[in-house]
Amino acid sequence: MNSHLDLIEEARGLLPEGVFQYVATGAGVEETLESAPAAWRRYLLRPRLPRNVTTVDVTTSVLGTPVTSPVQIAPTGFQRIVHADGEVGTAKAAAEAGSLLVLSSRATSSLEEIQAVAGPWWLQAYVLRDRELTAEIVRRAAAAGARALVLTVDTPHVARKARSYEFDTAVGTPLIPELATRDDLGVWQAPDVTLADVHWLAELSAGVPVVVKGILRGDDARECVAAGASAVWVSNHGGRQLDGAIPSALALPEVVDAVGDTAEVYVDGGIRSGRDVVRALALGARAAFVGRPVVWALAVAGTDGVRELLDGFREDVEETMSLTGCTSVAEIGPDLVTLP
Amino acid sequence: MNSHLDLIEEARGLLPEGVFQYVATGAGVEETLESAPAAWRRYLLRPRLPRNVTTVDVTTSVLGTPVTSPVQIAPTGFQRIVHADGEVGTAKAAAEAGSLLVLSSRATSSLEEIQAVAGPWWLQAYVLRDRELTAEIVRRAAAAGARALVLTVDTPHVARKARSYEFDTAVGTPLIPELATRDDLGVWQAPDVTLADVHWLAELSAGVPVVVKGILRGDDARECVAAGASAVWVSNHGGRQLDGAIPSALALPEVVDAVGDTAEVYVDGGIRSGRDVVRALALGARAAFVGRPVVWALAVAGTDGVRELLDGFREDVEETMSLTGCTSVAEIGPDLVTLP
Amino acid sequence: MNSHLDLIEEARGLLPEGVFQYVATGAGVEETLESAPAAWRRYLLRPRLPRNVTTVDVTTSVLGTPVTSPVQIAPTGFQRIVHADGEVGTAKAAAEAGSLLVLSSRATSSLEEIQAVAGPWWLQAYVLRDRELTAEIVRRAAAAGARALVLTVDTPHVARKARSYEFDTAVGTPLIPELATRDDLGVWQAPDVTLADVHWLAELSAGVPVVVKGILRGDDARECVAAGASAVWVSNHGGRQLDGAIPSALALPEVVDAVGDTAEVYVDGGIRSGRDVVRALALGARAAFVGRPVVWALAVAGTDGVRELLDGFREDVEETMSLTGCTSVAEIGPDLVTLP
Amino acid sequence: MNSHLDLIEEARGLLPEGVFQYVATGAGVEETLESAPAAWRRYLLRPRLPRNVTTVDVTTSVLGTPVTSPVQIAPTGFQRIVHADGEVGTAKAAAEAGSLLVLSSRATSSLEEIQAVAGPWWLQAYVLRDRELTAEIVRRAAAAGARALVLTVDTPHVARKARSYEFDTAVGTPLIPELATRDDLGVWQAPDVTLADVHWLAELSAGVPVVVKGILRGDDARECVAAGASAVWVSNHGGRQLDGAIPSALALPEVVDAVGDTAEVYVDGGIRSGRDVVRALALGARAAFVGRPVVWALAVAGTDGVRELLDGFREDVEETMSLTGCTSVAEIGPDLVTLP
């Protein structure tokens, strides 16, 4: 897992500059991009010793779906620009590794391609200006087997990035054909998303639960759950939206505290090792999601790269649990970390 | 907005070394110059999500004057040494962009030139050793349309700077002809300014309100308001006067707390992005002022440069408000930031 | 003592790359490796002055064994890969300097070789999967004169390291012949060590006290003592096991507080000077152990190098005590340090 | 004053390497040497504005002796190794600038030479193993006009330094002939100095007050005053004795608090600007002393260099007082600084 920087360097060598910068950059002056990984490391680990860790069970579940580790795949768009395997490769790797896949609305593979290879998957969605199309997408995703909808609420518009980039978006097959020809995300995303939309989506999707992604405050989290969200996802969008936002590692405890047992809480943002995953779980997250590492791994070795990444994370979580005296994720409690 | 450093580098390439250093340098060993921008970034943003941000209104007012954004132009002297457009260009740009202009007493453009192009403007003034001349300048400014007087109180004398510089001050037309031939500011500025002068100025200027600039403490702020100030401006003079002074970002909450609703509070010092502006407003400032960025933009592209800078700031504030769920500046409250 | 970095550089020049990296590396991304020495320096010294320090007595005892200074030798494996003198050299040096030696289970010198030259020594041991072999090793060590058993509990398996290394382990004579042919520590170490094993070992070893090494929490420390441990050793295994673990300097006060007078507390991890030793004692440790410095000193100058290192540490402790007004280790109290 | 680093570089170019290192180095790994100046800067200045600062009176007194500024000369030995003017030059410069001179016991100029040019001066002294010689030196100093004795208590022996140096000590005339031929300070300094010696000295010196230098704790300060000290000098000996000691800037408030009005409190250690001096006075010090800056100035320009340094410090203090709204040193209170 300590080869994260190596992975980036390898990907940089393989990718066109514009593609590399698209993936790598953050918003503003990249304050949050930089502070997010560092924030996890501020939580010092307090191992419980000695413990019998002959068997360490790293499996868990997210909204009832069993997964082989607490590390799942966060949505990232346009995966075919980094590797021909694209989302199909990521889906295959997730299925093989036993992790949950969250598909981006801007995936460059069709639902049919994904369905053919995927294990359990969720769809990341925006509420669109066109609410009817939104509903249609939700119905389509539910019919195709999406086990949850991840509503990203931190992108009423797309933030300006720190570094410029350019790349050809006409790759693969768009997951959502209606959005294919509209190049600018800002065109179709609704800037007027409110709790009413959370409520509407939760009703609309019927049995398919709604996860609200992008929450960084306890009060917002509580309101989302009251509006029908089954889970809240603490995220700063990989440092790509609100620069200067509180790192998710620092926002997580407040959200967990506010939500209590009423919903699951997930987190992404700067998770770079199994230790970070254990820190997240100790702070109350049910699962941690990784975005850029998946893209770098896909860029470097396609399907195999992603599977190896997930396997590596799972082994790293297992090692950390073993070394902290935890034999199941349920045993990872708040006493395992301290913020001095 | 993340091109602030690029702007400086571009200006450095265009300006004579002495001029560049005059603008760039701070007092002492530049502790405050360095700590001021960094202090804003310590305040982490806590966005409210989801919110309907279809329309984000970044307009506000300062002492009753409507402005198109919370970003105004702080006074900086001798603008014609960096570009022939000088204060006239800055005034034009401010008018076009809809921001308030604060003219320096050491402007190198005449009142007539300014009046011809300016939108709303204030005059930054010192109390001079010659109180009668001070009164004359106040009367002249009021007659010319100044909407407020900004009394700078942190400069009983001019501090020694960290870096040496030399430049020709005989450029343009002095705003205040009586001061034109006196090269050293220390000659004419009064070192005996007290609250009595604030009171005197407030009486003298009649309908023209007085803003006291350079305040860094709650008790001083309260006393200035009691003496007749309509607003208090938290500032450390761009790090050019008292080196080691508390960064304005850290002093602002104390001042806001002390003043309450009795006066408006402004701030400058290290504001480098729309995020910093939102931070300032969250801490209770009514407006943020930018100094050096205006000078660099003027140096690089004259009037157009300043207008683009102001437009860029306004868009950046709008983006930050949108991403933090604020549709009007009134909604930017203290819960939007945290200082961990 | 300020030549610690010089010592590393000298060793680097003498050792094969693989050996150097084996000694130098830490686990994960080496967060703990880096934070451990820095954590000691955060404790500022508060000297008591003036005091009569004509004679400063740096001697103390560990579990009743008199030692000439509070600095003892932590267990490190495979010492013959860095110098032909190996553990025999280290043992000789410890005896000459009057420090306690803790032998690693993976020592590359036989018990007979060690006995021939050693002063007081302890054996660092793991509980093995083969409990009968564990018992046999304990009996053998007791018979050979080990004054205590140091049970390392932070290694249910061997953590992945940050840097790769390779070296020939077939050097010298294995301390424990039964383990010689098994290359991977993970093969024979038990992953199911619990407090019951501490209890079992304490009973088994009869008169030979058991020290539990690797503890970083007060609750664990208290439980180990309740299970029969005579001492608790605060350690993060030189940053080689759980990366991201709390630095031992920060964990020590909690452990001391929990254990009180019921057991001795030792510490290792980033101790680089006599000042660090005095800090450790001020925080309640009875002794400080050094690992890597001994290996570097051995690599550079064999037996003589280790003896000089220990002599240097002793003199440095004496100097620090003298300058802080302490004439005996008993006078080194908590008021001597502050963590601002 | 911001040319401190320039001054060092200039001195480095002029001095033999061994002499430069002797002056520049600190003890241990130079933790305290590095942290001392930085600690002052952590105190942020909170100026009082607006104030009438037409006249700013920087004069004060130390133990009743009027001085032209709060900046005095700390004792440093062997000044003739950096410049032929030596202590005579420093004494002349101090007299001309109106600052107090503290002569080192290891001065390389005779009492007669000093008397011929000096203004008010104190003698820094150690209690020697030979108490009778100590008494003789005290009597001699009193007879020669020393206005106080500064008893350094942080040097029961001389600490090992971080960098090696060598220089010829046979320069000039020893201030104390009896000590001239003994090269090692450790030979004649008493390691058994206690409060009883403070008491003894205070009695012995009769009308000449005793200042205890090297105190870093409130309890020690209170006891020294109780034993007869007229003043306490917070110091870490320029980072040359106990490395890792609390920076004097952080120890000062505790000492001031403990001593109250019963004695004067001075401070040295990392004072590099008039701002640092004002910080020291705000924290309760009556005067600040500078050591290395004097030596560097002497090395660069002899008597003139030191006078310019003192003049520069005085002007810098005056500027800082002016900019913080203080017209006399009595107005420099604790509200002028904050430690965030």
Side-chain angles (χ1 to χ4, degrees):
Chain A
M1 305 309 304
N2 47 11
S3 57
H4 180 70
L5 294 178
D6 294 345
L7 194 62
I8 295 180
E9 281 318 297
E10 214 176 329
R12 184 198 289 264
L14 292 167
L15 294 174
E17 180 67 10
V19 170
F20 176 80
Q21 293 299 354
Y22 166 71
V23 178
T25 197
V29 293
E30 303 189 333
E31 290 174 40
T32 297
L33 185 71
E34 197 179 310
S35 64
W40 290 112
R41 300 190 180 179
R42 291 177 50 194
Y43 291 99
L44 303 176
L45 293 166
R46 302 177 63 243
R48 298 188 203 109
L49 297 165
R51 288 294 186 281
N52 179 347
V53 289
T54 307
T55 58
V56 169
D57 182 358
V58 303
T59 66
T60 185
S61 68
V62 281
L63 290 180
T65 295
V67 282
T68 63
S69 94
V71 182
Q72 325 306 331
I73 296 182
T76 53
F78 304 109
Q79 293 185 2
R80 273 203 164 116
I81 62 174
V82 304
H83 195 280
D85 288 356
E87 291 81 3
V88 172
T90 303
K92 245 191 245 181
E96 289 169 12
S99 280
L100 178 83
L101 167 73
V102 183
L103 270 180
S104 162
S105 280
R106 294 294 264 180
T108 45
S109 305
S110 71
L111 268 180
E112 291 69 29
E113 288 177 290
I114 301 291
Q115 276 180 288
V117 301
W121 60 279
W122 297 352
L123 178 68
Q124 176 266 337
Y126 293 104
V127 172
L128 308 180
R129 290 171 188 271
D130 183 341
R131 295 298 201 276
E132 186 37 49
L133 175 55
T134 309
E136 166 60 22
I137 292 170
V138 166
R139 279 189 292 264
R140 226 182 277 165
R147 301 204 183 183
L149 282 173
V150 177
L151 175 64
T152 301
V153 295
D154 58 11
T155 316
H157 71 268
V158 176
R160 273 175 296 178
K161 301 301 183 291
R163 296 176 258 174
S164 60
Y165 52 81
E166 241 174 74
F167 61 87
D168 183 10
T169 59
V171 291
T173 314
L175 185 78
I176 302 170
E178 290 87 345
L179 304 180
T181 54
R182 312 190 202 173
D183 202 17
D184 183 1
L185 270 175
V187 172
W188 45 270
Q189 281 172 259
D192 63 347
V193 179
T194 64
L195 292 169
D197 291 286
V198 175
H199 189 70
W200 170 70
L201 264 188
E203 298 255 304
L204 181 77
S205 65
V208 181
V210 170
V211 178
V212 179
K213 173 169 176 278
I215 296 300
L216 289 168
R217 299 166 58 124
D219 48 6
D220 288 346
R222 206 182 293 115
E223 287 177 9
C224 287
V225 174
S230 300
V232 167
W233 184 325
V234 176
S235 173
N236 46 45
H237 210 124
R240 300 171 79 86
Q241 282 293 108
L242 176 64
D243 194 36
I246 183 169
S248 43
L250 299 185
L252 178 57
E254 176 187 327
V255 170
V256 166
D257 207 46
V259 164
D261 291 332
T262 64
E264 297 191 347
V265 176
Y266 314 129
V267 70
D268 70 14
I271 297 274
R272 295 291 173 264
S273 70
R275 298 173 297 282
D276 294 340
V277 176
V278 169
R279 282 158 170 147
L281 268 59
L283 296 174
R286 183 157 189 96
F289 286 75
V290 289
R292 278 193 192 82
V294 170
V295 180
W296 300 132
L298 182 68
V300 166
T303 307
D304 292 348
V306 177
R307 195 185 48 242
E308 281 162 25
L309 180 92
L310 292 171
D311 290 347
F313 259 110
R314 191 177 52 242
E315 288 161 23
D316 207 31
V317 171
E318 188 175 348
E319 175 177 304
T320 306
M321 288 176 61
S322 165
L323 297 180
T324 52
C326 301
T327 61
S328 71
V329 295
E331 289 178 12
I332 303 174
D335 66 304
L336 220 60
V337 291
T338 181
L339 187 65
Chain B
M1 309 305 305
N2 48 11
S3 56
H4 179 70
L5 294 178
D6 294 344
L7 195 62
I8 296 178
E9 281 318 298
E10 214 176 329
R12 184 199 289 263
L14 292 166
L15 295 173
E17 179 67 11
V19 171
F20 176 81
Q21 294 299 354
Y22 165 70
V23 178
T25 198
V29 293
E30 302 189 335
E31 291 175 39
T32 297
L33 184 72
E34 197 179 312
S35 64
W40 290 112
R41 301 191 178 178
R42 291 178 50 193
Y43 291 99
L44 303 176
L45 292 167
R46 301 177 64 243
R48 298 188 203 109
L49 298 166
R51 287 292 187 282
N52 179 347
V53 289
T54 307
T55 58
V56 169
D57 182 0
V58 304
T59 66
T60 186
S61 69
V62 281
L63 290 180
T65 295
V67 282
T68 63
S69 95
V71 182
Q72 325 306 330
I73 296 182
T76 52
F78 304 108
Q79 293 185 2
R80 274 205 162 114
I81 62 173
V82 303
H83 194 281
D85 287 358
E87 290 81 5
V88 171
T90 303
K92 247 193 245 179
E96 289 169 13
S99 279
L100 178 84
L101 167 74
V102 182
L103 269 179
S104 163
S105 280
R106 295 294 264 181
T108 46
S109 305
S110 71
L111 268 181
E112 292 68 28
E113 288 177 289
I114 301 292
Q115 276 180 287
V117 300
W121 61 279
W122 296 352
L123 178 68
Q124 176 267 336
Y126 294 104
V127 172
L128 308 179
R129 291 171 186 271
D130 183 341
R131 294 299 201 276
E132 186 38 49
L133 176 56
T134 309
E136 167 59 21
I137 292 170
V138 167
R139 280 188 291 266
R140 227 181 277 166
R147 301 204 183 183
L149 282 172
V150 177
L151 175 65
T152 300
V153 295
D154 59 10
T155 316
H157 72 268
V158 176
R160 273 175 295 179
K161 299 302 182 291
R163 297 176 257 173
S164 61
Y165 52 82
E166 240 174 75
F167 61 88
D168 182 11
T169 59
V171 291
T173 314
L175 185 79
I176 303 169
E178 290 87 344
L179 304 179
T181 54
R182 312 190 202 172
D183 202 17
D184 182 3
L185 271 175
V187 171
W188 45 269
Q189 280 173 258
D192 63 347
V193 180
T194 64
L195 291 168
D197 291 284
V198 175
H199 189 70
W200 170 70
L201 265 188
E203 299 254 304
L204 181 76
S205 67
V208 182
V210 170
V211 178
V212 179
K213 173 169 176 278
I215 296 301
L216 289 168
R217 298 167 57 124
D219 49 6
D220 287 346
R222 206 183 292 116
E223 287 177 9
C224 287
V225 174
S230 299
V232 167
W233 184 327
V234 176
S235 172
N236 47 45
H237 211 124
R240 300 170 81 83
Q241 282 293 109
L242 177 64
D243 194 36
I246 184 168
S248 43
L250 299 185
L252 179 57
E254 175 185 327
V255 170
V256 166
D257 206 46
V259 164
D261 290 332
T262 64
E264 296 190 348
V265 176
Y266 314 129
V267 70
D268 70 14
I271 298 273
R272 295 291 174 262
S273 70
R275 299 173 296 281
D276 294 341
V277 176
V278 170
R279 283 158 170 147
L281 269 59
L283 297 175
R286 184 160 188 95
F289 287 75
V290 288
R292 278 193 193 82
V294 170
V295 179
W296 301 133
L298 183 68
V300 166
T303 307
D304 291 348
V306 177
R307 196 187 47 244
E308 281 161 27
L309 181 92
L310 293 171
D311 290 347
F313 259 110
R314 192 177 51 242
E315 287 161 23
D316 206 31
V317 171
E318 190 175 347
E319 175 177 304
T320 305
M321 287 176 62
S322 165
L323 296 180
T324 52
C326 301
T327 61
S328 72
V329 295
E331 288 178 11
I332 303 174
D335 66 304
L336 221 60
V337 291
T338 181
L339 187 66
Chain C
M1 307 305 305
N2 48 12
S3 57
H4 179 69
L5 295 177
D6 294 344
L7 194 61
I8 295 179
E9 282 318 297
E10 213 175 330
R12 183 199 289 265
L14 292 166
L15 294 174
E17 180 66 10
V19 170
F20 176 80
Q21 293 299 354
Y22 165 70
V23 178
T25 198
V29 292
E30 302 189 335
E31 291 174 40
T32 297
L33 184 71
E34 198 179 309
S35 63
W40 290 111
R41 299 190 180 180
R42 292 178 49 193
Y43 291 99
L44 303 176
L45 292 166
R46 302 176 65 242
R48 298 188 203 108
L49 299 164
R51 288 293 186 283
N52 178 348
V53 289
T54 306
T55 58
V56 169
D57 181 359
V58 303
T59 65
T60 185
S61 68
V62 281
L63 291 180
T65 296
V67 281
T68 62
S69 94
V71 183
Q72 323 306 330
I73 296 181
T76 53
F78 304 109
Q79 292 185 2
R80 274 203 163 117
I81 64 174
V82 303
H83 194 282
D85 288 358
E87 290 81 3
V88 172
T90 303
K92 247 193 242 179
E96 289 169 11
S99 280
L100 178 83
L101 167 74
V102 182
L103 268 180
S104 163
S105 279
R106 296 294 265 181
T108 45
S109 305
S110 69
L111 268 181
E112 291 68 29
E113 288 177 291
I114 301 291
Q115 276 181 288
V117 299
W121 61 278
W122 296 352
L123 177 68
Q124 176 267 336
Y126 293 104
V127 171
L128 308 180
R129 290 173 187 269
D130 183 342
R131 295 298 202 274
E132 185 39 48
L133 175 56
T134 310
E136 165 61 21
I137 292 169
V138 167
R139 279 188 292 266
R140 229 182 274 165
R147 301 203 184 184
L149 281 172
V150 177
L151 175 65
T152 300
V153 294
D154 59 11
T155 315
H157 71 268
V158 177
R160 272 175 295 177
K161 300 301 183 292
R163 296 176 258 174
S164 61
Y165 52 82
E166 242 176 73
F167 60 88
D168 182 11
T169 58
V171 291
T173 313
L175 186 78
I176 303 170
E178 289 87 344
L179 303 179
T181 54
R182 311 189 203 174
D183 202 15
D184 182 2
L185 269 174
V187 171
W188 45 269
Q189 281 172 258
D192 63 347
V193 179
T194 64
L195 291 168
D197 291 286
V198 175
H199 188 72
W200 172 68
L201 265 189
E203 298 255 303
L204 182 77
S205 66
V208 182
V210 170
V211 178
V212 180
K213 174 168 175 279
I215 296 301
L216 289 168
R217 299 166 56 125
D219 48 7
D220 287 345
R222 206 182 292 116
E223 287 176 9
C224 287
V225 174
S230 300
V232 167
W233 184 327
V234 176
S235 172
N236 47 43
H237 210 124
R240 301 171 79 85
Q241 282 293 108
L242 177 64
D243 194 34
I246 184 169
S248 44
L250 298 185
L252 178 58
E254 175 186 327
V255 169
V256 166
D257 208 44
V259 163
D261 291 332
T262 63
E264 297 190 347
V265 176
Y266 314 129
V267 70
D268 69 15
I271 297 274
R272 295 292 173 265
S273 70
R275 298 173 297 281
D276 294 340
V277 175
V278 169
R279 284 158 169 147
L281 268 59
L283 296 174
R286 184 158 189 96
F289 286 75
V290 289
R292 277 192 192 81
V294 169
V295 179
W296 302 133
L298 182 68
V300 166
T303 307
D304 290 349
V306 177
R307 195 186 49 242
E308 281 161 27
L309 180 92
L310 292 171
D311 290 347
F313 259 110
R314 191 176 53 241
E315 287 161 24
D316 206 31
V317 171
E318 188 174 349
E319 176 178 302
T320 306
M321 289 176 62
S322 165
L323 296 180
T324 52
C326 301
T327 61
S328 71
V329 295
E331 289 178 13
I332 302 175
D335 66 304
L336 220 60
V337 291
T338 181
L339 186 67
Chain D
M1 306 305 303
N2 47 11
S3 56
H4 179 69
L5 294 178
D6 294 344
L7 195 62
I8 295 179
E9 282 318 299
E10 214 176 329
R12 183 199 290 264
L14 292 166
L15 294 174
E17 180 67 10
V19 170
F20 176 80
Q21 293 299 355
Y22 165 70
V23 178
T25 198
V29 292
E30 301 188 337
E31 291 174 41
T32 296
L33 184 72
E34 197 179 311
S35 64
W40 289 111
R41 299 190 179 179
R42 292 178 49 193
Y43 291 99
L44 302 176
L45 292 166
R46 302 177 63 244
R48 297 186 203 110
L49 299 165
R51 288 291 187 283
N52 179 346
V53 289
T54 308
T55 58
V56 169
D57 182 359
V58 303
T59 65
T60 185
S61 69
V62 281
L63 291 180
T65 296
V67 282
T68 63
S69 95
V71 182
Q72 324 306 329
I73 296 181
T76 52
F78 303 109
Q79 292 186 2
R80 273 202 164 118
I81 62 173
V82 303
H83 194 282
D85 287 358
E87 290 80 6
V88 171
T90 302
K92 248 193 241 179
E96 288 169 13
S99 280
L100 178 82
L101 167 73
V102 183
L103 269 179
S104 163
S105 279
R106 295 294 265 181
T108 45
S109 305
S110 70
L111 268 180
E112 291 69 29
E113 289 177 288
I114 300 291
Q115 276 181 290
V117 299
W121 60 279
W122 297 352
L123 177 70
Q124 176 267 337
Y126 294 104
V127 171
L128 308 180
R129 290 172 188 271
D130 182 341
R131 294 299 202 274
E132 185 38 48
L133 175 56
T134 308
E136 166 60 22
I137 291 170
V138 167
R139 279 189 292 264
R140 229 182 274 166
R147 300 203 184 183
L149 282 172
V150 177
L151 175 65
T152 300
V153 295
D154 59 12
T155 315
H157 71 269
V158 177
R160 273 174 295 178
K161 300 300 183 291
R163 295 175 259 172
S164 61
Y165 52 82
E166 242 174 74
F167 60 88
D168 182 11
T169 59
V171 290
T173 314
L175 186 78
I176 303 170
E178 290 87 344
L179 304 179
T181 53
R182 312 191 202 172
D183 202 15
D184 181 2
L185 270 174
V187 171
W188 44 269
Q189 281 172 259
D192 63 347
V193 179
T194 65
L195 291 168
D197 292 284
V198 175
H199 188 72
W200 171 68
L201 264 188
E203 299 254 304
L204 181 77
S205 66
V208 182
V210 169
V211 178
V212 179
K213 175 169 175 280
I215 296 299
L216 289 168
R217 299 166 57 123
D219 49 6
D220 287 347
R222 204 182 295 114
E223 288 176 9
C224 286
V225 174
S230 300
V232 167
W233 185 325
V234 176
S235 172
N236 46 43
H237 211 123
R240 300 171 80 85
Q241 282 293 108
L242 177 63
D243 194 35
I246 185 169
S248 43
L250 299 185
L252 178 58
E254 175 185 328
V255 169
V256 166
D257 206 46
V259 164
D261 290 332
T262 63
E264 297 190 347
V265 176
Y266 314 129
V267 70
D268 69 16
I271 298 273
R272 295 292 173 262
S273 71
R275 298 173 296 282
D276 294 340
V277 175
V278 169
R279 283 158 170 148
L281 268 59
L283 296 174
R286 185 160 188 95
F289 286 75
V290 288
R292 278 194 193 80
V294 170
V295 180
W296 301 133
L298 182 68
V300 166
T303 307
D304 291 348
V306 177
R307 195 185 48 243
E308 281 161 26
L309 181 94
L310 292 171
D311 290 348
F313 259 111
R314 190 175 54 241
E315 288 162 23
D316 206 32
V317 171
E318 190 174 348
E319 176 178 302
T320 305
M321 288 176 62
S322 165
L323 297 180
T324 52
C326 301
T327 61
S328 71
V329 295
E331 289 177 13
I332 303 174
D335 66 304
L336 220 59
V337 290
T338 181
L339 186 66

